[in-house]
């Protein structure tokens, strides 16, 4: 497995890399969820093709400097995970390698990114789109894998691929869950035992709500189950159109019920598809 820390080193390695090239973009701190994305990338690349992982904590997608500073950096363990999962090459650039001091061009998205997680994270999805486009260009990948857990991010990237005519296949990976239903996240580790025991209620709430037929009932059912716990604070709980992610109060097409819930200062997200039938 090669490691490229500069664009020049990456380019040298790419010259002899068999296609298809499937990229898994990450910010490091790899966990079981990332390992599953890497395994799916290998399935698509086949034994003949190549799997690349990028590890880059992208400063322009953080709206709070403290979050950027506190973001976990676990390079040695990350490289070990990549090796164990048969990754061919890792791109691990420094900030200066990715962004010129006087950079002045960004990708902006102004529909799908406005609500849900985007509502309180100004500029976040523009930062994600910009770095992902750069990683697509730099790695010259044919396909890239993204988790469905961050469904707003996935939708924004799919829209970027469509609107900018990128010739890259986006491969979604279904949300991975612990046996009790809680969506896997590196943040789960920060929950206290009591919070962790309570957190599967988020999934239970979404499942119960998805059995209801009206938008109002869907929202009220989920809200009641989540708010019954004294440990939770809802950041948002919204029903949105699955295509444009705009809030809706009627189920006239497939929708997504999405939420972000605080346990103390740990913010967990989850969602469920509400089919239109
Ligand atoms: O999901 C992530 O880890 C990041 O947003 C991504 C896609 C690697 C871009 O920095």
């Amino acid at each position: 497995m090669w490691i490229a820390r500069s664009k020049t080193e990456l380019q040298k390695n790419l010259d002899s890399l068999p296609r298809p090239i499937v990229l898994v973009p990450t910010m490091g701190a790899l966990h079981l969820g990332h390992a599953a994305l890497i395994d799916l990338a290998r399935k698509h690349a086949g034994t003949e093709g190549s799997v690349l992982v990028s590890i880059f904590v992208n400063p322009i997608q953080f709206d709070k400097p403290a979050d950027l500073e506190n973001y976990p950096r676990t390079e040695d363990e990350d490289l070990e995970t990549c090796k164990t999962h048969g990754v061919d090459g890792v791109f691990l650039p420094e900030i200066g390698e990715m962004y010129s001091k006087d950079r002045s061009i960004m990708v902006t998205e102004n529909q799908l990114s406005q609500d849900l997680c985007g509502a309180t994270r100004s500029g976040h999805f523009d930062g994600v789109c910009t770095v992902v486009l750069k990683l697509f260009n730099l790695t010259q990948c044919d396909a890239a894998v993204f988790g469905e857990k961050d469904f707003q991010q996935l939708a924004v990237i799919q829209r970027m691929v469509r609107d900018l005519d990128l010739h890259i296949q986006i491969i979604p990976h279904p949300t991975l869950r612990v046996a009790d239903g809680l969506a896997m996240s590196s943040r789960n580790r920060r929950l206290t035992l009591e919070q962790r025991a309570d957190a599967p209620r988020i999934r239970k709430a979404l499942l119960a709500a998805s059995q209801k037929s009206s938008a109002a009932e869907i929202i009220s059912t989920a809200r009641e189950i989540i708010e019954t716990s004294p440990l939770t604070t809802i950041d948002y709980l919204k029903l949105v159109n699955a295509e444009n992610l705009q809030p809706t109060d009627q189920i006239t097409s497939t929708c997504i019920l999405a939420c972000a819930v605080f346990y103390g200062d740990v913010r967990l997200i989850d969602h469920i598809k509400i089919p239109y039938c």
Side-chain angles (χ1 to χ4, degrees):
M1 183 181 85
W2 49 262
I3 299 166
R5 292 184 187 272
S6 69
K7 295 194 265 195
T8 318
E9 274 178 89
L10 174 66
Q11 188 55 53
K12 265 190 215 141
N13 285 294
L14 286 180
D15 288 344
S16 56
L17 209 59
R19 287 193 180 270
I21 298 173
V22 184
L23 172 70
V24 182
T26 81
M27 298 207 297
L30 303 186
H31 51 71
L32 280 176
H34 293 106
L37 301 186
I38 294 171
D39 293 345
L40 183 60
R42 173 55 67 197
K43 221 168 138 191
H44 279 261
T47 45
E48 300 294 308
S50 311
V51 173
L52 294 191
V53 169
S54 61
I55 299 178
F56 178 61
V57 183
N58 176 33
I60 67 165
Q61 71 185 76
F62 287 82
D63 49 345
K64 295 191 192 103
D67 288 350
L68 173 62
E69 212 162 286
N70 296 331
Y71 200 84
R73 271 109 171 146
T74 55
E75 187 180 310
D76 292 347
E77 291 91 328
D78 292 348
L79 292 175
E80 208 43 56
T81 303
C82 290
K83 229 185 250 170
T84 313
H85 287 265
V87 168
D88 296 292
V90 180
F91 180 44
L92 232 164
E94 295 293 332
I95 291 179
E97 192 66 23
M98 289 295 280
Y99 295 119
S100 303
K101 284 215 168 70
D102 61 348
R103 68 185 176 84
S104 54
I105 304 280
M106 290 278 290
V107 179
T108 53
E109 199 293 323
N110 47 35
Q111 184 187 71
L112 308 177
S113 58
Q114 300 307 296
D115 211 311
L116 307 172
C117 290
T120 48
R121 302 184 73 182
S122 158
H124 169 73
F125 286 108
D126 292 351
V128 170
C129 283
T130 302
V131 80
V132 168
L133 180 60
K134 283 166 72 71
L135 292 168
F136 286 173
N137 286 337
L138 287 166
T139 60
Q140 297 161 34
C141 61
D142 302 290
V145 182
F146 291 88
E148 271 177 6
K149 176 166 175 282
D150 295 315
F151 85 96
Q152 190 174 18
Q153 169 170 283
L154 176 63
V156 166
I157 288 166
Q158 282 168 325
R159 180 63 68 91
M160 173 172 78
V161 165
R162 187 197 78 178
D163 285 0
L164 299 185
D165 300 307
L166 306 180
H167 294 284
I168 292 171
Q169 183 193 358
I170 301 300
I171 305 165
H173 190 294
T175 304
L176 282 164
R177 297 187 180 278
V178 189
D180 60 15
L182 180 63
M184 275 188 198
S185 161
S186 48
R187 296 178 181 196
N188 296 351
R189 269 181 270 164
R190 294 179 45 220
L191 297 169
T192 64
L193 283 178
E194 193 190 9
Q195 290 167 338
R196 174 63 190 82
D198 192 75
R201 79 169 49 246
I202 299 174
R203 171 71 171 164
K204 285 190 194 121
L206 298 181
L207 281 170
S210 70
Q211 300 306 308
K212 305 292 174 189
S213 44
S214 76
E217 275 181 310
I218 287 172
I219 295 280
S220 64
T221 302
R223 180 172 294 283
E224 196 182 320
I225 296 174
I226 295 170
E227 286 185 338
T228 304
S229 165
L231 304 175
T232 56
T233 308
I234 293 178
D235 180 17
Y236 67 74
L237 171 67
K238 287 193 176 171
L239 190 64
V240 296
N241 176 296
E243 282 299 307
N244 59 24
L245 306 195
Q246 301 304 302
T248 178
D249 54 11
Q250 275 178 5
I251 318 272
T252 50
S253 58
T254 303
C255 291
I256 307 256
L257 177 63
C259 66
V261 176
F262 279 106
Y263 278 90
D265 65 347
V266 183
R267 184 174 172 278
L268 303 180
I269 58 167
D270 206 347
H271 69 281
I272 197 164
K273 208 181 241 184
I274 311 281
Y276 173 57
C277 29

